[in-house]
mmCIF file of all heavy atoms in Angstrom:
data_model
loop_
_atom_site.group_PDB
_atom_site.id
_atom_site.type_symbol
_atom_site.label_atom_id
_atom_site.label_comp_id
_atom_site.label_asym_id
_atom_site.label_seq_id
_atom_site.Cartn_x
_atom_site.Cartn_y
_atom_site.Cartn_z
ATOM 1 N N ILE F 46 207.202 -136.202 152.278
ATOM 2 C CA ILE F 46 207.670 -135.021 151.547
ATOM 3 C C ILE F 46 206.708 -133.856 151.744
ATOM 4 O O ILE F 46 207.118 -132.738 152.059
ATOM 5 C CB ILE F 46 207.850 -135.340 150.040
ATOM 6 C CG1 ILE F 46 209.103 -136.195 149.836
ATOM 7 C CG2 ILE F 46 207.918 -134.060 149.207
ATOM 8 C CD1 ILE F 46 209.235 -136.770 148.437
ATOM 9 N N TYR F 47 205.416 -134.104 151.580
ATOM 10 C CA TYR F 47 204.449 -133.006 151.677
ATOM 11 C C TYR F 47 204.281 -132.495 153.111
ATOM 12 O O TYR F 47 203.987 -131.316 153.303
ATOM 13 C CB TYR F 47 203.113 -133.402 151.062
ATOM 14 C CG TYR F 47 203.089 -133.104 149.581
ATOM 15 C CD1 TYR F 47 203.417 -134.080 148.658
ATOM 16 C CD2 TYR F 47 202.794 -131.825 149.127
ATOM 17 C CE1 TYR F 47 203.434 -133.793 147.302
ATOM 18 C CE2 TYR F 47 202.811 -131.532 147.773
ATOM 19 C CZ TYR F 47 203.120 -132.523 146.870
ATOM 20 O OH TYR F 47 203.150 -132.226 145.531
ATOM 21 N N ILE F 48 204.485 -133.348 154.093
ATOM 22 C CA ILE F 48 204.469 -132.864 155.480
ATOM 23 C C ILE F 48 205.629 -131.885 155.680
ATOM 24 O O ILE F 48 205.454 -130.803 156.244
ATOM 25 C CB ILE F 48 204.543 -134.045 156.484
ATOM 26 C CG1 ILE F 48 203.221 -134.817 156.474
ATOM 27 C CG2 ILE F 48 204.876 -133.539 157.881
ATOM 28 C CD1 ILE F 48 203.262 -136.120 157.256
ATOM 29 N N GLY F 49 206.807 -132.245 155.209
ATOM 30 C CA GLY F 49 207.961 -131.352 155.321
ATOM 31 C C GLY F 49 207.786 -130.071 154.526
ATOM 32 O O GLY F 49 208.117 -128.981 155.003
ATOM 33 N N LEU F 50 207.248 -130.174 153.307
ATOM 34 C CA LEU F 50 207.021 -128.983 152.495
ATOM 35 C C LEU F 50 205.993 -128.060 153.142
ATOM 36 O O LEU F 50 206.101 -126.834 153.045
ATOM 37 C CB LEU F 50 206.572 -129.373 151.083
ATOM 38 C CG LEU F 50 207.616 -130.058 150.206
ATOM 39 C CD1 LEU F 50 207.006 -130.449 148.865
ATOM 40 C CD2 LEU F 50 208.837 -129.182 150.008
ATOM 41 N N TYR F 51 205.013 -128.641 153.811
ATOM 42 C CA TYR F 51 204.003 -127.846 154.513
ATOM 43 C C TYR F 51 204.673 -126.982 155.580
ATOM 44 O O TYR F 51 204.388 -125.794 155.700
ATOM 45 C CB TYR F 51 202.958 -128.777 155.134
ATOM 46 C CG TYR F 51 201.956 -128.071 156.013
ATOM 47 C CD1 TYR F 51 200.908 -127.352 155.452
ATOM 48 C CD2 TYR F 51 202.054 -128.130 157.399
ATOM 49 C CE1 TYR F 51 199.981 -126.700 156.257
ATOM 50 C CE2 TYR F 51 201.134 -127.484 158.212
ATOM 51 C CZ TYR F 51 200.099 -126.774 157.635
ATOM 52 O OH TYR F 51 199.187 -126.136 158.436
ATOM 53 N N PHE F 52 205.574 -127.582 156.346
ATOM 54 C CA PHE F 52 206.261 -126.827 157.391
ATOM 55 C C PHE F 52 207.282 -125.843 156.819
ATOM 56 O O PHE F 52 207.532 -124.793 157.402
ATOM 57 C CB PHE F 52 206.905 -127.762 158.411
ATOM 58 C CG PHE F 52 205.899 -128.436 159.290
ATOM 59 C CD1 PHE F 52 205.688 -129.805 159.198
ATOM 60 C CD2 PHE F 52 205.143 -127.711 160.186
ATOM 61 C CE1 PHE F 52 204.751 -130.430 160.008
ATOM 62 C CE2 PHE F 52 204.199 -128.327 160.998
ATOM 63 C CZ PHE F 52 204.002 -129.694 160.902
ATOM 64 N N MET F 53 207.863 -126.169 155.665
ATOM 65 C CA MET F 53 208.809 -125.251 155.031
ATOM 66 C C MET F 53 208.112 -123.980 154.541
ATOM 67 O O MET F 53 208.745 -122.931 154.421
ATOM 68 C CB MET F 53 209.527 -125.938 153.867
ATOM 69 C CG MET F 53 210.553 -126.964 154.302
ATOM 70 S SD MET F 53 211.313 -127.800 152.905
ATOM 71 C CE MET F 53 212.593 -126.629 152.503
ATOM 72 N N ASP F 54 206.816 -124.076 154.266
ATOM 73 C CA ASP F 54 206.068 -122.909 153.790
ATOM 74 C C ASP F 54 205.881 -121.851 154.875
ATOM 75 O O ASP F 54 205.530 -120.708 154.570
ATOM 76 C CB ASP F 54 204.702 -123.323 153.233
ATOM 77 C CG ASP F 54 204.823 -123.955 151.856
ATOM 78 O OD1 ASP F 54 205.843 -123.721 151.181
ATOM 79 O OD2 ASP F 54 203.885 -124.680 151.448
ATOM 80 N N PHE F 55 206.093 -122.211 156.133
ATOM 81 C CA PHE F 55 205.969 -121.233 157.212
ATOM 82 C C PHE F 55 207.168 -120.301 157.289
ATOM 83 O O PHE F 55 207.111 -119.255 157.925
ATOM 84 C CB PHE F 55 205.785 -121.932 158.568
ATOM 85 C CG PHE F 55 204.429 -122.553 158.732
ATOM 86 C CD1 PHE F 55 204.305 -123.925 158.892
ATOM 87 C CD2 PHE F 55 203.289 -121.776 158.725
ATOM 88 C CE1 PHE F 55 203.063 -124.508 159.042
ATOM 89 C CE2 PHE F 55 202.034 -122.345 158.878
ATOM 90 C CZ PHE F 55 201.920 -123.711 159.040
ATOM 91 N N VAL F 56 208.263 -120.678 156.648
ATOM 92 C CA VAL F 56 209.479 -119.873 156.665
ATOM 93 C C VAL F 56 209.432 -118.906 155.471
ATOM 94 O O VAL F 56 209.107 -119.309 154.356
ATOM 95 C CB VAL F 56 210.742 -120.757 156.569
ATOM 96 C CG1 VAL F 56 212.000 -119.930 156.538
ATOM 97 C CG2 VAL F 56 210.771 -121.757 157.701
ATOM 98 N N GLU F 57 209.741 -117.656 155.725
ATOM 99 C CA GLU F 57 209.798 -116.654 154.657
ATOM 100 C C GLU F 57 211.206 -116.663 154.064
ATOM 101 O O GLU F 57 212.188 -116.467 154.776
ATOM 102 C CB GLU F 57 209.467 -115.269 155.202
ATOM 103 C CG GLU F 57 208.030 -115.095 155.588
ATOM 104 C CD GLU F 57 207.085 -115.102 154.394
ATOM 105 O OE1 GLU F 57 207.480 -114.628 153.310
ATOM 106 O OE2 GLU F 57 205.957 -115.607 154.555
ATOM 107 N N TYR F 58 211.280 -116.882 152.769
ATOM 108 C CA TYR F 58 212.566 -116.891 152.075
ATOM 109 C C TYR F 58 212.720 -115.578 151.314
ATOM 110 O O TYR F 58 211.769 -115.108 150.696
ATOM 111 C CB TYR F 58 212.651 -118.074 151.113
ATOM 112 C CG TYR F 58 212.512 -119.410 151.805
ATOM 113 C CD1 TYR F 58 211.280 -120.045 151.882
ATOM 114 C CD2 TYR F 58 213.614 -120.016 152.389
ATOM 115 C CE1 TYR F 58 211.146 -121.265 152.530
ATOM 116 C CE2 TYR F 58 213.488 -121.237 153.035
ATOM 117 C CZ TYR F 58 212.252 -121.856 153.096
ATOM 118 O OH TYR F 58 212.123 -123.047 153.733
ATOM 119 N N ARG F 59 213.905 -115.046 151.358
ATOM 120 C CA ARG F 59 214.141 -113.773 150.682
ATOM 121 C C ARG F 59 214.201 -113.950 149.169
ATOM 122 O O ARG F 59 213.779 -113.086 148.412
ATOM 123 C CB ARG F 59 215.438 -113.174 151.207
ATOM 124 C CG ARG F 59 215.688 -111.811 150.713
ATOM 125 C CD ARG F 59 216.889 -111.209 151.387
ATOM 126 N NE ARG F 59 217.057 -109.858 150.881
ATOM 127 C CZ ARG F 59 217.590 -108.890 151.558
ATOM 128 N NH1 ARG F 59 218.023 -109.112 152.772
ATOM 129 N NH2 ARG F 59 217.714 -107.707 151.032
ATOM 130 N N TYR F 60 214.712 -115.086 148.731
ATOM 131 C CA TYR F 60 214.876 -115.343 147.303
ATOM 132 C C TYR F 60 214.086 -116.592 146.911
ATOM 133 O O TYR F 60 214.292 -117.671 147.494
ATOM 134 C CB TYR F 60 216.351 -115.546 146.957
ATOM 135 C CG TYR F 60 217.221 -114.387 147.376
ATOM 136 C CD1 TYR F 60 218.038 -114.478 148.494
ATOM 137 C CD2 TYR F 60 217.198 -113.196 146.651
ATOM 138 C CE1 TYR F 60 218.822 -113.410 148.883
ATOM 139 C CE2 TYR F 60 217.990 -112.126 147.040
ATOM 140 C CZ TYR F 60 218.806 -112.235 148.155
ATOM 141 O OH TYR F 60 219.577 -111.181 148.536
ATOM 142 N N PRO F 61 213.210 -116.480 145.918
ATOM 143 C CA PRO F 61 212.415 -117.645 145.489
ATOM 144 C C PRO F 61 213.276 -118.813 145.000
ATOM 145 O O PRO F 61 212.936 -119.969 145.220
ATOM 146 C CB PRO F 61 211.548 -117.100 144.360
ATOM 147 C CG PRO F 61 211.519 -115.631 144.550
ATOM 148 C CD PRO F 61 212.805 -115.269 145.219
ATOM 149 N N ILE F 62 214.404 -118.509 144.361
ATOM 150 C CA ILE F 62 215.272 -119.577 143.858
ATOM 151 C C ILE F 62 215.876 -120.363 145.015
ATOM 152 O O ILE F 62 216.054 -121.585 144.918
ATOM 153 C CB ILE F 62 216.361 -119.013 142.908
ATOM 154 C CG1 ILE F 62 217.046 -120.127 142.135
ATOM 155 C CG2 ILE F 62 217.371 -118.191 143.646
ATOM 156 C CD1 ILE F 62 216.270 -120.606 140.976
ATOM 157 N N LEU F 63 216.151 -119.693 146.123
ATOM 158 C CA LEU F 63 216.663 -120.360 147.320
ATOM 159 C C LEU F 63 215.601 -121.306 147.886
ATOM 160 O O LEU F 63 215.901 -122.441 148.244
ATOM 161 C CB LEU F 63 217.081 -119.337 148.376
ATOM 162 C CG LEU F 63 217.518 -119.896 149.734
ATOM 163 C CD1 LEU F 63 218.806 -120.695 149.590
ATOM 164 C CD2 LEU F 63 217.693 -118.774 150.731
ATOM 165 N N GLU F 64 214.372 -120.829 147.936
ATOM 166 C CA GLU F 64 213.272 -121.658 148.431
ATOM 167 C C GLU F 64 213.107 -122.912 147.575
ATOM 168 O O GLU F 64 213.016 -124.025 148.095
ATOM 169 C CB GLU F 64 211.979 -120.846 148.425
ATOM 170 C CG GLU F 64 210.762 -121.630 148.870
ATOM 171 C CD GLU F 64 209.490 -120.821 148.811
ATOM 172 O OE1 GLU F 64 209.487 -119.687 148.296
ATOM 173 O OE2 GLU F 64 208.472 -121.337 149.293
ATOM 174 N N THR F 65 213.114 -122.731 146.267
ATOM 175 C CA THR F 65 212.969 -123.869 145.362
ATOM 176 C C THR F 65 214.145 -124.831 145.495
ATOM 177 O O THR F 65 213.969 -126.050 145.518
ATOM 178 C CB THR F 65 212.832 -123.387 143.907
ATOM 179 O OG1 THR F 65 211.728 -122.474 143.827
ATOM 180 C CG2 THR F 65 212.593 -124.538 142.959
ATOM 181 N N GLY F 66 215.341 -124.284 145.607
ATOM 182 C CA GLY F 66 216.532 -125.122 145.771
ATOM 183 C C GLY F 66 216.507 -125.924 147.063
ATOM 184 O O GLY F 66 216.858 -127.113 147.076
ATOM 185 N N LEU F 67 216.090 -125.282 148.152
ATOM 186 C CA LEU F 67 215.988 -125.997 149.432
ATOM 187 C C LEU F 67 214.932 -127.102 149.373
ATOM 188 O O LEU F 67 215.149 -128.207 149.882
ATOM 189 C CB LEU F 67 215.665 -125.021 150.560
ATOM 190 C CG LEU F 67 216.791 -124.101 151.007
ATOM 191 C CD1 LEU F 67 216.277 -123.082 152.015
ATOM 192 C CD2 LEU F 67 217.930 -124.908 151.601
ATOM 193 N N LYS F 68 213.810 -126.794 148.754
ATOM 194 C CA LYS F 68 212.759 -127.810 148.632
ATOM 195 C C LYS F 68 213.221 -128.983 147.777
ATOM 196 O O LYS F 68 212.981 -130.140 148.124
ATOM 197 C CB LYS F 68 211.481 -127.189 148.065
ATOM 198 C CG LYS F 68 210.765 -126.300 149.054
ATOM 199 C CD LYS F 68 209.497 -125.711 148.481
ATOM 200 C CE LYS F 68 208.779 -124.863 149.520
ATOM 201 N NZ LYS F 68 207.529 -124.289 148.994
ATOM 202 N N LEU F 69 213.891 -128.691 146.671
ATOM 203 C CA LEU F 69 214.394 -129.767 145.810
ATOM 204 C C LEU F 69 215.433 -130.605 146.540
ATOM 205 O O LEU F 69 215.410 -131.841 146.465
ATOM 206 C CB LEU F 69 214.969 -129.194 144.514
ATOM 207 C CG LEU F 69 215.534 -130.206 143.524
ATOM 208 C CD1 LEU F 69 214.466 -131.204 143.089
ATOM 209 C CD2 LEU F 69 216.116 -129.504 142.317
ATOM 210 N N THR F 70 216.322 -129.954 147.271
ATOM 211 C CA THR F 70 217.335 -130.687 148.046
ATOM 212 C C THR F 70 216.675 -131.577 149.086
ATOM 213 O O THR F 70 217.050 -132.746 149.246
ATOM 214 C CB THR F 70 218.298 -129.690 148.721
ATOM 215 O OG1 THR F 70 218.893 -128.875 147.712
ATOM 216 C CG2 THR F 70 219.366 -130.416 149.505
ATOM 217 N N TYR F 71 215.674 -131.053 149.783
ATOM 218 C CA TYR F 71 214.926 -131.818 150.782
ATOM 219 C C TYR F 71 214.274 -133.049 150.146
ATOM 220 O O TYR F 71 214.377 -134.164 150.673
ATOM 221 C CB TYR F 71 213.876 -130.907 151.426
ATOM 222 C CG TYR F 71 212.817 -131.620 152.222
ATOM 223 C CD1 TYR F 71 213.099 -132.155 153.464
ATOM 224 C CD2 TYR F 71 211.518 -131.755 151.724
ATOM 225 C CE1 TYR F 71 212.122 -132.814 154.200
ATOM 226 C CE2 TYR F 71 210.540 -132.401 152.452
ATOM 227 C CZ TYR F 71 210.840 -132.929 153.688
ATOM 228 O OH TYR F 71 209.879 -133.578 154.406
ATOM 229 N N VAL F 72 213.650 -132.856 148.992
ATOM 230 C CA VAL F 72 212.973 -133.961 148.311
ATOM 231 C C VAL F 72 213.985 -135.019 147.865
ATOM 232 O O VAL F 72 213.768 -136.224 148.066
ATOM 233 C CB VAL F 72 212.141 -133.435 147.112
ATOM 234 C CG1 VAL F 72 211.638 -134.573 146.251
ATOM 235 C CG2 VAL F 72 210.980 -132.580 147.607
ATOM 236 N N ILE F 73 215.097 -134.580 147.292
ATOM 237 C CA ILE F 73 216.109 -135.543 146.830
ATOM 238 C C ILE F 73 216.668 -136.332 148.002
ATOM 239 O O ILE F 73 216.835 -137.563 147.913
ATOM 240 C CB ILE F 73 217.235 -134.821 146.047
ATOM 241 C CG1 ILE F 73 216.702 -134.349 144.690
ATOM 242 C CG2 ILE F 73 218.443 -135.733 145.863
ATOM 243 C CD1 ILE F 73 217.674 -133.500 143.903
ATOM 244 N N ILE F 74 216.955 -135.672 149.116
ATOM 245 C CA ILE F 74 217.482 -136.377 150.293
ATOM 246 C C ILE F 74 216.488 -137.417 150.789
ATOM 247 O O ILE F 74 216.863 -138.563 151.082
ATOM 248 C CB ILE F 74 217.851 -135.371 151.403
ATOM 249 C CG1 ILE F 74 219.103 -134.591 150.998
ATOM 250 C CG2 ILE F 74 218.068 -136.073 152.739
ATOM 251 C CD1 ILE F 74 219.434 -133.415 151.897
ATOM 252 N N LEU F 75 215.208 -137.044 150.869
ATOM 253 C CA LEU F 75 214.204 -138.014 151.319
ATOM 254 C C LEU F 75 214.075 -139.190 150.361
ATOM 255 O O LEU F 75 213.943 -140.340 150.789
ATOM 256 C CB LEU F 75 212.847 -137.337 151.502
ATOM 257 C CG LEU F 75 212.658 -136.566 152.790
ATOM 258 C CD1 LEU F 75 211.272 -135.958 152.857
ATOM 259 C CD2 LEU F 75 212.892 -137.439 154.005
ATOM 260 N N VAL F 76 214.110 -138.920 149.069
ATOM 261 C CA VAL F 76 214.004 -140.009 148.087
ATOM 262 C C VAL F 76 215.218 -140.922 148.178
ATOM 263 O O VAL F 76 215.081 -142.154 148.122
ATOM 264 C CB VAL F 76 213.812 -139.444 146.662
ATOM 265 C CG1 VAL F 76 213.966 -140.520 145.613
ATOM 266 C CG2 VAL F 76 212.447 -138.774 146.534
ATOM 267 N N LEU F 77 216.402 -140.349 148.325
ATOM 268 C CA LEU F 77 217.605 -141.175 148.457
ATOM 269 C C LEU F 77 217.572 -142.006 149.740
ATOM 270 O O LEU F 77 217.977 -143.176 149.740
ATOM 271 C CB LEU F 77 218.861 -140.308 148.396
ATOM 272 C CG LEU F 77 219.153 -139.671 147.027
ATOM 273 C CD1 LEU F 77 220.358 -138.743 147.124
ATOM 274 C CD2 LEU F 77 219.359 -140.737 145.968
#
Side-chain angles (χ1 to χ4, degrees):
I46 286 170
Y47 272 94
I48 289 171
L50 292 177
Y51 173 77
F52 288 112
M53 287 177 84
D54 284 339
F55 288 117
V56 178
E57 290 292 327
Y58 300 95
R59 187 173 181 151
Y60 304 104
I62 193 80
L63 175 66
E64 178 182 8
T65 304
L67 287 173
K68 288 181 178 181
L69 180 59
T70 302
Y71 166 74
V72 170
I73 289 174
I74 289 170
L75 280 181
V76 169
L77 291 175

